[in-house]
Amino acid sequence: MHLLQYLHRCGLWLCFGLGLGPSAHAQPVSELVPGINGLALKTWVFHPLQKTHDTPRPVVIALHGCGGIYATVGSRKGQLSARHQGMTDLLLAQGYSVVWPDSLTPRQETSLCEQSMASRQVRQSHRLSDVHATLAWLAQQAWTDRQRVALLGWSNGGNTVLASSDSQQKIPQPSVTPDVALAFYPGCKDALRRAYQPSWPVHMLLGAADNWTPAAPCVALGQQSGMSFKLYPDSHHGFDNPVGQVQHLPRVPNGQHPGLGVHAGRNPVTGPQAWQDVLDLLKQRWPDPVSP
């Protein structure tokens, strides 16, 4: 059944992220991945239930935004947020393993969203190093299909997708490198200024109404670099969130109009479309069937 039909029957996204998805019983494993400067990078690793431990399968490294991995309020507090759990369940149902590096709590942070860029202690260089550490760790796992590793990031994690895929990087590459990457509503101004060119295929999923990380620089970046992108109409930052509604966040200082806050929240039409697009893009890159 097509994802949009399935989600409609389940009540849009309520199937995923709220314990109702087909892979809802897959339990994560917490792994400490060696990072730079002695940091123990905490990661959450999810495997499809039907896979044996040493069966190679595609892997998606999922990169959280400025708010971190976890829900901070409600019944899911301390667990993966509804969006993160929903996307995880969706990918597990396709037979992919999913790895979530936590770039914040090992560095004594819970959220960066209300911090100015200049005051942030967790910077893109840290997040880039976390990706490289995770890739190096995946290279040692028997279940990693080294030819099918993807990056998938949201917002600040989308920035990390761009930084990780920049062909101008001088950082030594790990023995496993991503085959494809997808970025939800990244901030593209810095990449645009430095004439970014992707090292592997990157696709951006952008909200046309986003006033936090506006789409226009990303559209220009895509046109300049040849990178693919899709612009979703009437969609704010976080439009793929399966729960909640659009809200004004007055304390976020880094938006399109500093001092006026930003808007973020789900679009019940374009959000599921974007999730289906994620699946379709991965299947285009990895056309061989994957047994869940």
Side-chain angles (χ1 to χ4, degrees):
M1 183 183 296
H2 193 276
L3 172 65
L4 296 182
Q5 294 174 317
Y6 179 73
L7 293 179
H8 178 72
R9 287 183 59 182
C10 291
L12 289 176
W13 288 310
L14 294 181
C15 306
F16 296 101
L18 298 179
L20 301 179
S23 301
H25 298 293
Q27 296 299 313
V29 176
S30 177
E31 297 278 2
L32 292 178
V33 172
I36 62 169
N37 300 324
L39 176 75
L41 177 64
K42 185 175 184 179
T43 63
W44 291 102
V45 182
F46 294 79
H47 295 300
L49 285 175
Q50 297 90 339
K51 295 287 187 182
T52 59
H53 184 69
D54 58 352
T55 303
R57 82 295 303 261
V59 182
V60 177
I61 301 175
L63 304 173
H64 62 75
C66 65
I69 294 178
Y70 311 106
T72 56
V73 296
S75 61
R76 296 195 60 84
K77 184 176 182 180
Q79 304 175 50
L80 262 65
S81 70
R83 174 173 51 205
H84 296 155
Q85 187 65 59
M87 181 59 77
T88 298
D89 287 345
L90 189 63
L91 295 169
L92 289 172
Q94 306 304 309
Y96 309 149
S97 286
V98 185
V99 180
W100 284 95
D102 179 357
S103 291
L104 297 191
T105 56
R107 298 183 172 96
Q108 288 73 55
E109 294 279 7
T110 57
S111 176
L112 309 177
C113 299
E114 295 181 2
Q115 301 175 10
S116 68
M117 294 295 187
S119 68
R120 289 182 177 181
Q121 298 301 304
V122 179
R123 301 186 178 276
Q124 271 303 312
S125 58
H126 297 107
R127 302 215 60 190
L128 178 60
S129 71
D130 292 348
V131 170
H132 281 248
T134 303
L135 288 167
W137 179 79
L138 282 175
Q140 302 172 14
Q141 310 308 310
W143 45 264
T144 301
D145 182 340
R146 296 185 175 207
Q147 305 307 312
R148 294 193 288 183
V149 175
L151 296 183
L152 171 61
W154 288 260
S155 193
N156 186 267
N159 295 10
T160 308
V161 167
L162 298 182
S164 299
S165 59
D166 193 342
S167 63
Q168 300 179 76
Q169 275 192 78
K170 304 303 181 185
I171 302 174
Q173 294 294 314
S175 57
V176 169
T177 56
D179 181 56
V180 64
L182 302 99
F184 276 94
Y185 32 84
C188 294
K189 290 182 179 179
D190 288 344
L192 188 60
R193 277 195 295 266
R194 65 176 184 264
Y196 161 93
Q197 286 291 325
S199 299
W200 50 77
V202 179
H203 180 84
M204 296 182 290
L205 305 99
L206 312 171
D210 195 328
N211 64 358
W212 192 338
T213 52
C218 293
V219 170
L221 179 66
Q223 294 170 340
Q224 171 183 285
S225 67
M227 182 169 42
S228 65
F229 62 89
K230 184 172 179 178
L231 194 62
Y232 296 85
D234 303 316
S235 298
H236 293 276
H237 199 85
F239 69 91
D240 65 310
N241 198 332
V243 297
Q245 58 189 357
V246 175
Q247 295 182 333
H248 179 232
L249 306 176
R251 297 176 62 182
V252 173
N254 302 309
Q256 186 175 16
H257 306 292
L260 299 180
V262 300
H263 293 82
R266 76 181 182 116
N267 182 311
V269 175
T270 61
Q273 290 173 351
W275 281 22
Q276 180 65 54
D277 289 340
V278 168
L279 294 188
D280 292 345
L281 287 160
L282 290 176
K283 287 179 180 178
Q284 288 171 18
R285 189 63 180 173
W286 302 331
D288 295 336
V290 178
S291 299

